[in-house]
Tab-separated table of all heavy atoms in Angstrom:
chain	number	residue	atom	x	y	z
A	1	MET	N	24.397	5.274	-16.314
A	1	MET	CA	24.436	3.842	-16.436
A	1	MET	C	23.016	3.329	-16.652
A	1	MET	O	22.152	3.489	-15.795
A	1	MET	CB	25.041	3.233	-15.167
A	1	MET	CG	25.216	1.749	-15.254
A	1	MET	SD	26.290	1.156	-13.935
A	1	MET	CE	25.102	0.315	-12.941
A	2	ALA	N	22.767	2.729	-17.767
A	2	ALA	CA	21.437	2.214	-18.080
A	2	ALA	C	21.215	0.872	-17.402
A	2	ALA	O	22.126	0.068	-17.251
A	2	ALA	CB	21.284	2.058	-19.580
A	3	GLN	N	19.977	0.652	-16.944
A	3	GLN	CA	19.615	-0.644	-16.384
A	3	GLN	C	18.199	-1.002	-16.810
A	3	GLN	O	17.380	-0.131	-17.066
A	3	GLN	CB	19.701	-0.704	-14.851
A	3	GLN	CG	19.645	0.543	-14.115
A	3	GLN	CD	19.672	0.380	-12.606
A	3	GLN	OE1	18.731	0.792	-11.992
A	3	GLN	NE2	20.706	-0.147	-12.005
A	4	THR	N	17.983	-2.284	-16.899
A	4	THR	CA	16.641	-2.731	-17.233
A	4	THR	C	15.779	-2.675	-15.982
A	4	THR	O	16.288	-2.537	-14.856
A	4	THR	CB	16.654	-4.179	-17.756
A	4	THR	OG1	17.013	-5.062	-16.690
A	4	THR	CG2	17.613	-4.345	-18.926
A	5	LEU	N	14.493	-2.794	-16.164
A	5	LEU	CA	13.574	-2.792	-15.033
A	5	LEU	C	13.889	-3.925	-14.062
A	5	LEU	O	13.809	-3.754	-12.851
A	5	LEU	CB	12.132	-2.903	-15.537
A	5	LEU	CG	11.034	-2.769	-14.501
A	5	LEU	CD1	11.126	-1.430	-13.773
A	5	LEU	CD2	9.669	-2.912	-15.145
A	6	LEU	N	14.285	-5.066	-14.583
A	6	LEU	CA	14.620	-6.206	-13.727
A	6	LEU	C	15.894	-5.981	-12.916
A	6	LEU	O	16.083	-6.582	-11.861
A	6	LEU	CB	14.758	-7.481	-14.564
A	6	LEU	CG	13.473	-7.995	-15.198
A	6	LEU	CD1	13.765	-9.195	-16.098
A	6	LEU	CD2	12.457	-8.372	-14.140
A	7	GLU	N	16.779	-5.113	-13.391
A	7	GLU	CA	18.035	-4.833	-12.692
A	7	GLU	C	17.908	-3.686	-11.684
A	7	GLU	O	18.782	-3.518	-10.836
A	7	GLU	CB	19.120	-4.475	-13.704
A	7	GLU	CG	19.466	-5.595	-14.649
A	7	GLU	CD	20.376	-5.147	-15.774
A	7	GLU	OE1	20.233	-4.010	-16.257
A	7	GLU	OE2	21.237	-5.957	-16.160
A	8	ALA	N	16.848	-2.923	-11.764
A	8	ALA	CA	16.685	-1.757	-10.895
A	8	ALA	C	16.345	-2.191	-9.467
A	8	ALA	O	15.603	-3.145	-9.263
A	8	ALA	CB	15.582	-0.861	-11.441
A	9	PRO	N	16.900	-1.496	-8.473
A	9	PRO	CA	16.581	-1.825	-7.086
A	9	PRO	C	15.085	-1.630	-6.823
A	9	PRO	O	14.466	-0.706	-7.351
A	9	PRO	CB	17.392	-0.815	-6.279
A	9	PRO	CG	18.348	-0.194	-7.212
A	9	PRO	CD	17.807	-0.376	-8.591
A	10	SER	N	14.537	-2.500	-6.009
A	10	SER	CA	13.113	-2.371	-5.687
A	10	SER	C	12.821	-3.024	-4.355
A	10	SER	O	13.618	-3.777	-3.809
A	10	SER	CB	12.257	-3.011	-6.782
A	10	SER	OG	12.521	-4.394	-6.850
A	11	SER	N	11.660	-2.720	-3.837
A	11	SER	CA	11.186	-3.289	-2.589
A	11	SER	C	9.781	-3.832	-2.826
A	11	SER	O	8.958	-3.177	-3.466
A	11	SER	CB	11.162	-2.210	-1.510
A	11	SER	OG	10.607	-2.733	-0.327
A	12	VAL	N	9.518	-5.008	-2.304
A	12	VAL	CA	8.218	-5.639	-2.487
A	12	VAL	C	7.670	-6.024	-1.127
A	12	VAL	O	8.385	-6.578	-0.294
A	12	VAL	CB	8.333	-6.903	-3.373
A	12	VAL	CG1	7.005	-7.623	-3.470
A	12	VAL	CG2	8.868	-6.544	-4.744
A	13	THR	N	6.412	-5.714	-0.895
A	13	THR	CA	5.727	-6.135	0.315
A	13	THR	C	4.559	-7.016	-0.087
A	13	THR	O	3.746	-6.618	-0.917
A	13	THR	CB	5.198	-4.918	1.108
A	13	THR	OG1	6.303	-4.101	1.478
A	13	THR	CG2	4.453	-5.348	2.350
A	14	ILE	N	4.500	-8.195	0.504
A	14	ILE	CA	3.396	-9.111	0.238
A	14	ILE	C	2.530	-9.175	1.487
A	14	ILE	O	3.027	-9.461	2.576
A	14	ILE	CB	3.919	-10.517	-0.132
A	14	ILE	CG1	4.749	-10.424	-1.408
A	14	ILE	CG2	2.763	-11.500	-0.255
A	14	ILE	CD1	5.453	-11.692	-1.785
A	15	ILE	N	1.262	-8.881	1.305
A	15	ILE	CA	0.315	-8.950	2.418
A	15	ILE	C	-0.645	-10.088	2.106
A	15	ILE	O	-1.454	-9.989	1.188
A	15	ILE	CB	-0.442	-7.618	2.586
A	15	ILE	CG1	0.556	-6.477	2.787
A	15	ILE	CG2	-1.421	-7.706	3.751
A	15	ILE	CD1	-0.052	-5.108	2.798
A	16	ASP	N	-0.527	-11.168	2.854
A	16	ASP	CA	-1.336	-12.345	2.565
A	16	ASP	C	-2.724	-12.265	3.211
A	16	ASP	O	-3.015	-11.364	3.995
A	16	ASP	CB	-0.609	-13.626	2.976
A	16	ASP	CG	-0.283	-13.678	4.459
A	16	ASP	OD1	-0.895	-12.945	5.249
A	16	ASP	OD2	0.594	-14.475	4.828
A	17	LYS	N	-3.557	-13.211	2.845
A	17	LYS	CA	-4.945	-13.244	3.300
A	17	LYS	C	-5.033	-13.273	4.830
A	17	LYS	O	-5.862	-12.584	5.416
A	17	LYS	CB	-5.626	-14.485	2.714
A	17	LYS	CG	-7.045	-14.668	3.137
A	17	LYS	CD	-7.636	-15.929	2.519
A	17	LYS	CE	-9.042	-16.160	3.030
A	17	LYS	NZ	-9.624	-17.378	2.450
A	18	GLU	N	-4.174	-14.047	5.460
A	18	GLU	CA	-4.207	-14.147	6.918
A	18	GLU	C	-3.896	-12.811	7.583
A	18	GLU	O	-4.522	-12.442	8.575
A	18	GLU	CB	-3.223	-15.232	7.392
A	18	GLU	CG	-3.638	-16.641	7.042
A	18	GLU	CD	-3.360	-17.033	5.596
A	18	GLU	OE1	-2.524	-16.375	4.928
A	18	GLU	OE2	-4.001	-17.990	5.128
A	19	THR	N	-2.942	-12.081	7.031
A	19	THR	CA	-2.591	-10.767	7.583
A	19	THR	C	-3.736	-9.787	7.410
A	19	THR	O	-4.049	-9.016	8.320
A	19	THR	CB	-1.317	-10.219	6.896
A	19	THR	OG1	-0.254	-11.154	7.078
A	19	THR	CG2	-0.918	-8.871	7.462
A	20	ILE	N	-4.373	-9.824	6.248
A	20	ILE	CA	-5.504	-8.933	5.993
A	20	ILE	C	-6.646	-9.231	6.956
A	20	ILE	O	-7.209	-8.325	7.569
A	20	ILE	CB	-5.978	-9.045	4.524
A	20	ILE	CG1	-4.890	-8.524	3.587
A	20	ILE	CG2	-7.288	-8.287	4.317
A	20	ILE	CD1	-5.138	-8.819	2.124
A	21	GLU	N	-6.956	-10.509	7.114
A	21	GLU	CA	-8.041	-10.884	8.027
A	21	GLU	C	-7.714	-10.515	9.462
A	21	GLU	O	-8.566	-10.014	10.198
A	21	GLU	CB	-8.336	-12.372	7.891
A	21	GLU	CG	-8.997	-12.721	6.575
A	21	GLU	CD	-9.166	-14.219	6.357
A	21	GLU	OE1	-8.603	-15.021	7.132
A	21	GLU	OE2	-9.866	-14.572	5.397
A	22	ALA	N	-6.468	-10.745	9.887
A	22	ALA	CA	-6.063	-10.428	11.249
A	22	ALA	C	-6.049	-8.921	11.519
A	22	ALA	O	-6.246	-8.480	12.651
A	22	ALA	CB	-4.689	-11.025	11.545
A	23	SER	N	-5.842	-8.128	10.460
A	23	SER	CA	-5.759	-6.675	10.634
A	23	SER	C	-7.128	-6.036	10.856
A	23	SER	O	-7.216	-4.924	11.362
A	23	SER	CB	-5.105	-6.023	9.406
A	23	SER	OG	-6.010	-6.002	8.308
A	24	GLY	N	-8.170	-6.734	10.431
A	24	GLY	CA	-9.510	-6.155	10.545
A	24	GLY	C	-9.770	-5.068	9.518
A	24	GLY	O	-10.692	-4.271	9.677
A	25	ALA	N	-8.970	-5.023	8.464
A	25	ALA	CA	-9.113	-3.987	7.432
A	25	ALA	C	-10.502	-4.024	6.818
A	25	ALA	O	-11.034	-5.094	6.525
A	25	ALA	CB	-8.055	-4.180	6.351
A	26	GLN	N	-11.070	-2.855	6.632
A	26	GLN	CA	-12.381	-2.720	6.007
A	26	GLN	C	-12.281	-2.190	4.579
A	26	GLN	O	-13.183	-2.390	3.784
A	26	GLN	CB	-13.256	-1.765	6.834
A	26	GLN	CG	-13.544	-2.262	8.235
A	26	GLN	CD	-14.433	-3.485	8.224
A	26	GLN	OE1	-15.469	-3.497	7.574
A	26	GLN	NE2	-14.018	-4.518	8.932
A	27	HIS	N	-11.168	-1.516	4.280
A	27	HIS	CA	-10.994	-0.870	2.985
A	27	HIS	C	-9.562	-1.065	2.508
A	27	HIS	O	-8.657	-1.357	3.305
A	27	HIS	CB	-11.296	0.628	3.083
A	27	HIS	CG	-12.651	0.919	3.631
A	27	HIS	ND1	-13.788	0.831	2.879
A	27	HIS	CD2	-13.052	1.269	4.875
A	27	HIS	CE1	-14.835	1.115	3.626
A	27	HIS	NE2	-14.414	1.377	4.842
A	28	LEU	N	-9.338	-0.882	1.223
A	28	LEU	CA	-7.995	-1.017	0.658
A	28	LEU	C	-7.001	-0.101	1.356
A	28	LEU	O	-5.867	-0.494	1.626
A	28	LEU	CB	-8.027	-0.720	-0.847
A	28	LEU	CG	-6.675	-0.729	-1.550
A	28	LEU	CD1	-6.003	-2.098	-1.411
A	28	LEU	CD2	-6.828	-0.344	-2.998
A	29	VAL	N	-7.405	1.099	1.676
A	29	VAL	CA	-6.484	2.039	2.324
A	29	VAL	C	-6.016	1.489	3.671
A	29	VAL	O	-4.879	1.714	4.079
A	29	VAL	CB	-7.118	3.448	2.450
A	29	VAL	CG1	-8.231	3.466	3.468
A	29	VAL	CG2	-6.063	4.480	2.793
A	30	ASP	N	-6.851	0.725	4.368
A	30	ASP	CA	-6.443	0.106	5.631
A	30	ASP	C	-5.315	-0.896	5.407
A	30	ASP	O	-4.400	-1.015	6.219
A	30	ASP	CB	-7.628	-0.603	6.288
A	30	ASP	CG	-8.771	0.344	6.613
A	30	ASP	OD1	-8.501	1.519	6.934
A	30	ASP	OD2	-9.934	-0.101	6.551
A	31	ILE	N	-5.374	-1.611	4.303
A	31	ILE	CA	-4.335	-2.583	3.967
A	31	ILE	C	-3.054	-1.865	3.555
A	31	ILE	O	-1.962	-2.256	3.959
A	31	ILE	CB	-4.827	-3.529	2.856
A	31	ILE	CG1	-6.029	-4.325	3.366
A	31	ILE	CG2	-3.711	-4.453	2.382
A	31	ILE	CD1	-6.797	-5.042	2.291
A	32	LEU	N	-3.182	-0.797	2.773
A	32	LEU	CA	-1.996	-0.054	2.343
A	32	LEU	C	-1.242	0.529	3.529
A	32	LEU	O	-0.019	0.690	3.472
A	32	LEU	CB	-2.390	1.056	1.370
A	32	LEU	CG	-2.898	0.590	0.010
A	32	LEU	CD1	-3.362	1.786	-0.817
A	32	LEU	CD2	-1.844	-0.205	-0.729
A	33	ARG	N	-1.934	0.839	4.602
A	33	ARG	CA	-1.265	1.374	5.799
A	33	ARG	C	-0.340	0.352	6.446
A	33	ARG	O	0.510	0.711	7.258
A	33	ARG	CB	-2.309	1.849	6.807
A	33	ARG	CG	-3.018	3.105	6.387
A	33	ARG	CD	-3.962	3.599	7.476
A	33	ARG	NE	-4.668	4.779	7.041
A	33	ARG	CZ	-5.981	4.888	6.978
A	33	ARG	NH1	-6.756	3.880	7.357
A	33	ARG	NH2	-6.537	6.008	6.568
A	34	LEU	N	-0.487	-0.920	6.102
A	34	LEU	CA	0.375	-1.971	6.637
A	34	LEU	C	1.732	-2.012	5.934
A	34	LEU	O	2.665	-2.643	6.424
A	34	LEU	CB	-0.302	-3.340	6.485
A	34	LEU	CG	-1.637	-3.535	7.194
A	34	LEU	CD1	-2.244	-4.886	6.807
A	34	LEU	CD2	-1.485	-3.424	8.698
A	35	VAL	N	1.854	-1.361	4.794
A	35	VAL	CA	3.077	-1.403	3.995
A	35	VAL	C	4.090	-0.405	4.546
A	35	VAL	O	3.797	0.793	4.632
A	35	VAL	CB	2.780	-1.090	2.506
A	35	VAL	CG1	4.063	-1.082	1.692
A	35	VAL	CG2	1.768	-2.067	1.944
A	36	PRO	N	5.285	-0.884	4.929
A	36	PRO	CA	6.321	0.034	5.423
A	36	PRO	C	6.664	1.087	4.365
A	36	PRO	O	6.815	0.773	3.183
A	36	PRO	CB	7.527	-0.883	5.671
A	36	PRO	CG	6.947	-2.254	5.798
A	36	PRO	CD	5.731	-2.274	4.917
A	37	GLY	N	6.743	2.349	4.784
A	37	GLY	CA	7.095	3.431	3.877
A	37	GLY	C	5.917	4.057	3.162
A	37	GLY	O	6.089	5.006	2.422
A	38	PHE	N	4.712	3.518	3.358
A	38	PHE	CA	3.504	4.079	2.753
A	38	PHE	C	2.752	4.887	3.792
A	38	PHE	O	2.650	4.484	4.942
A	38	PHE	CB	2.563	2.970	2.267
A	38	PHE	CG	2.680	2.642	0.819
A	38	PHE	CD1	3.867	2.191	0.293
A	38	PHE	CD2	1.594	2.754	-0.022
A	38	PHE	CE1	3.983	1.854	-1.044
A	38	PHE	CE2	1.695	2.419	-1.357
A	38	PHE	CZ	2.886	1.972	-1.865
A	39	GLN	N	2.241	6.008	3.376
A	39	GLN	CA	1.288	6.762	4.179
A	39	GLN	C	0.032	6.848	3.340
A	39	GLN	O	0.070	7.337	2.212
A	39	GLN	CB	1.795	8.164	4.500
A	39	GLN	CG	2.916	8.207	5.493
A	39	GLN	CD	3.302	9.640	5.832
A	39	GLN	OE1	2.959	10.569	5.120
A	39	GLN	NE2	4.029	9.803	6.909
A	40	ALA	N	-1.068	6.364	3.867
A	40	ALA	CA	-2.317	6.385	3.119
A	40	ALA	C	-3.368	7.098	3.940
A	40	ALA	O	-3.481	6.896	5.140
A	40	ALA	CB	-2.763	4.964	2.804
A	41	SER	N	-4.132	7.953	3.289
A	41	SER	CA	-5.196	8.675	3.972
A	41	SER	C	-6.405	8.753	3.060
A	41	SER	O	-6.291	8.610	1.846
A	41	SER	CB	-4.743	10.075	4.378
A	41	SER	OG	-4.375	10.815	3.234
A	42	THR	N	-7.549	8.955	3.655
A	42	THR	CA	-8.786	9.039	2.878
A	42	THR	C	-9.515	10.326	3.201
A	42	THR	O	-9.342	10.909	4.261
A	42	THR	CB	-9.729	7.860	3.173
A	42	THR	OG1	-10.015	7.859	4.568
A	42	THR	CG2	-9.121	6.550	2.785
A	43	SER	N	-10.335	10.737	2.271
A	43	SER	CA	-11.223	11.869	2.474
A	43	SER	C	-12.635	11.375	2.193
A	43	SER	O	-12.972	11.043	1.057
A	43	SER	CB	-10.864	13.011	1.531
A	43	SER	OG	-11.838	14.028	1.612
A	44	ILE	N	-13.436	11.269	3.219
A	44	ILE	CA	-14.786	10.737	3.075
A	44	ILE	C	-15.626	11.606	2.146
A	44	ILE	O	-16.408	11.109	1.344
A	44	ILE	CB	-15.456	10.604	4.460
A	44	ILE	CG1	-14.691	9.573	5.292
A	44	ILE	CG2	-16.909	10.209	4.328
A	44	ILE	CD1	-15.131	9.492	6.730
A	45	ALA	N	-15.415	12.892	2.205
A	45	ALA	CA	-16.233	13.809	1.411
A	45	ALA	C	-16.025	13.610	-0.090
A	45	ALA	O	-16.956	13.750	-0.875
A	45	ALA	CB	-15.930	15.248	1.801
A	46	THR	N	-14.802	13.256	-0.499
A	46	THR	CA	-14.509	13.147	-1.928
A	46	THR	C	-14.176	11.722	-2.370
A	46	THR	O	-13.901	11.487	-3.533
A	46	THR	CB	-13.321	14.055	-2.300
A	46	THR	OG1	-12.178	13.633	-1.551
A	46	THR	CG2	-13.622	15.504	-2.021
A	47	TYR	N	-14.185	10.780	-1.452
A	47	TYR	CA	-13.810	9.388	-1.748
A	47	TYR	C	-12.424	9.316	-2.371
A	47	TYR	O	-12.174	8.540	-3.276
A	47	TYR	CB	-14.848	8.715	-2.650
A	47	TYR	CG	-16.225	8.703	-2.048
A	47	TYR	CD1	-17.187	9.607	-2.461
A	47	TYR	CD2	-16.543	7.806	-1.046
A	47	TYR	CE1	-18.451	9.610	-1.888
A	47	TYR	CE2	-17.806	7.798	-0.467
A	47	TYR	CZ	-18.748	8.699	-0.897
A	47	TYR	OH	-19.985	8.708	-0.333
A	48	LEU	N	-11.534	10.127	-1.884
A	48	LEU	CA	-10.173	10.213	-2.408
A	48	LEU	C	-9.231	9.410	-1.517
A	48	LEU	O	-9.304	9.513	-0.294
A	48	LEU	CB	-9.726	11.677	-2.441
A	48	LEU	CG	-8.270	11.947	-2.781
A	48	LEU	CD1	-8.031	11.672	-4.262
A	48	LEU	CD2	-7.892	13.373	-2.449
A	49	VAL	N	-8.391	8.607	-2.121
A	49	VAL	CA	-7.334	7.913	-1.379
A	49	VAL	C	-6.026	8.505	-1.845
A	49	VAL	O	-5.726	8.545	-3.029
A	49	VAL	CB	-7.363	6.384	-1.654
A	49	VAL	CG1	-6.182	5.720	-0.966
A	49	VAL	CG2	-8.678	5.785	-1.206
A	50	ARG	N	-5.246	8.970	-0.903
A	50	ARG	CA	-3.949	9.579	-1.211
A	50	ARG	C	-2.848	8.698	-0.616
A	50	ARG	O	-2.908	8.367	0.552
A	50	ARG	CB	-3.875	10.965	-0.609
A	50	ARG	CG	-2.603	11.702	-0.907
A	50	ARG	CD	-2.734	13.118	-0.491
A	50	ARG	NE	-3.945	13.634	-1.140
A	50	ARG	CZ	-4.109	14.875	-1.517
A	50	ARG	NH1	-3.185	15.743	-1.304
A	50	ARG	NH2	-5.211	15.271	-2.086
A	51	VAL	N	-1.880	8.329	-1.437
A	51	VAL	CA	-0.780	7.484	-0.984
A	51	VAL	C	0.523	8.247	-1.186
A	51	VAL	O	0.766	8.798	-2.243
A	51	VAL	CB	-0.730	6.154	-1.766
A	51	VAL	CG1	0.475	5.340	-1.371
A	51	VAL	CG2	-2.007	5.360	-1.551
A	52	THR	N	1.355	8.265	-0.144
A	52	THR	CA	2.660	8.884	-0.220
A	52	THR	C	3.703	7.815	0.058
A	52	THR	O	3.603	7.094	1.048
A	52	THR	CB	2.804	10.001	0.837
A	52	THR	OG1	1.757	10.943	0.642
A	52	THR	CG2	4.147	10.687	0.717
A	53	ILE	N	4.676	7.673	-0.818
A	53	ILE	CA	5.748	6.711	-0.630
A	53	ILE	C	6.941	7.460	-0.053
A	53	ILE	O	7.431	8.415	-0.656
A	53	ILE	CB	6.115	6.031	-1.956
A	53	ILE	CG1	4.893	5.338	-2.534
A	53	ILE	CG2	7.254	5.043	-1.741
A	53	ILE	CD1	5.076	4.817	-3.934
A	54	LEU	N	7.370	7.040	1.108
A	54	LEU	CA	8.477	7.717	1.792
A	54	LEU	C	9.806	7.145	1.384
A	54	LEU	O	9.967	6.025	1.072
A	54	LEU	CB	8.311	7.593	3.306
A	54	LEU	CG	6.994	8.122	3.850
A	54	LEU	CD1	6.892	7.832	5.331
A	54	LEU	CD2	6.886	9.594	3.590
């Protein structure tokens, strides 16, 4: 069954400025950790950000 992108199921998380400020996030990966179903990790040695969607 074909569907357009607009018809496909999806999930959206909006993180507003107040949430970011309240979280004390210092880096983008800190903000991504707030998203349900995301696992984000960093490697200081390689400056790599790895995101896994569960």
Side-chain angles (χ1 to χ4, degrees):
M1 184 166 109
Q3 21 177 241
T4 68
L5 186 58
L6 293 175
E7 296 171 324
S10 63
S11 175
V12 175
T13 299
I14 298 173
I15 303 173
D16 60 19
K17 178 181 176 180
E18 291 79 19
T19 302
I20 294 169
E21 289 174 350
S23 74
Q26 297 292 310
H27 305 281
L28 176 60
V29 70
D30 299 327
I31 297 166
L32 292 175
R33 288 185 182 122
L34 299 173
V35 178
F38 263 60
Q39 288 184 343
S41 60
T42 58
S43 172
I44 296 172
T46 60
Y47 301 102
L48 172 72
V49 175
R50 182 170 306 211
V51 175
T52 303
I53 302 171
L54 304 175

